[in-house]
Amino acid sequence: MSETLLWSWWLLGLRGMIAVLFGIAAIVWPAITLITLAALFAAFALLAGAVWVFGAVQHRKADRRWCVMLLLGAFSVGAGIIAALHPGVTTVALILLMGANALVSGTLDIVVAVRVRKFMKGELLLILSGIASILFGMVVLLFPTGAGALALAWLTGFYAIVTGALLLALALQVRAWLRLNGGRSSGPAGAV
């Protein structure tokens, strides 16, 4: 998994950019309807998940722990498909889906960060992104009916911007690290 992240630093950057754009859209349209929020969430989850699935599959032969990234991507794609196919789900179901996606994504981000810490610096940014996702997921799951559509859109937007910015910073740090090390990681392929 460390090799996959090092070879494909742009995956982190792309995932971060998607999150930031999603967050901005959720904040810019504060009177967003839940149907529109569901559509934005579906696009975000599908794109972010596809990025992880692509990276995992692309480096599956060189990285023996590629399945964690595949799991993260598959869960996110699944959440996006559910939101896309059923945009008219009740408010509570949409909120619970978003919260569950954030909890799983955050947990897997932390797992990935712990595994790459031996090979590179900057894993703290991915850990912070994971913590932000977990906190967002917990708030949403603990108080699913306490927030109206406006509050949910803003909360979701700020969460996406924070995690996206952290992922963009990590991507830049990984890219710089690769340049300093001549494009090679310091560990054996797939060892974490």
Side-chain angles (χ1 to χ4, degrees):
M1 181 172 358
S2 60
E3 295 294 320
T4 301
L5 286 179
L6 292 175
W7 291 328
S8 302
W9 60 268
W10 59 272
L11 290 172
L12 292 167
L14 183 58
R15 184 174 165 218
M17 184 59 71
I18 292 166
V20 168
L21 292 174
F22 169 67
I24 291 169
I27 290 172
V28 167
W29 297 321
I32 199 166
T33 66
L34 287 175
I35 297 294
T36 306
L37 183 59
L40 283 174
F41 170 73
F44 163 68
L46 285 169
L47 289 171
V51 166
W52 282 127
V53 168
F54 174 78
V57 171
Q58 183 181 18
H59 297 291
R60 70 185 178 279
K61 292 181 181 176
D63 190 344
R64 62 186 167 110
R65 293 202 172 113
W66 63 278
C67 58
V68 173
M69 283 179 55
L70 182 67
L71 179 64
L72 172 63
F75 187 83
S76 188
V77 166
I81 289 171
I82 291 169
L85 292 177
H86 304 287
V89 295
T90 65
T91 305
V92 175
L94 173 62
I95 292 169
L96 294 176
L97 179 65
M98 291 173 70
N101 184 62
L103 279 175
V104 172
S105 296
T107 301
L108 290 173
D109 279 349
I110 292 171
V111 168
V112 169
V114 168
R115 290 187 174 174
V116 300
R117 75 181 186 280
K118 296 175 186 175
F119 296 96
M120 56 172 259
K121 293 183 179 181
E123 76 280 357
L124 181 61
L125 294 170
L126 192 54
I127 289 172
L128 290 174
S129 173
I131 290 170
S133 292
I134 290 170
L135 290 175
F136 171 77
M138 287 173 50
V139 167
V140 167
L141 290 175
L142 289 174
F143 307 104
T145 59
L150 178 65
L152 178 62
W154 283 346
L155 180 63
T156 302
F158 286 122
Y159 148 70
I161 289 171
V162 167
T163 58
L166 289 168
L167 290 171
L168 283 169
L170 177 60
L172 293 174
Q173 193 167 6
V174 170
R175 182 175 179 230
W177 184 86
L178 275 174
R179 285 185 176 187
L180 286 174
N181 289 295
R184 294 183 312 268
S185 73
S186 59
V192 181

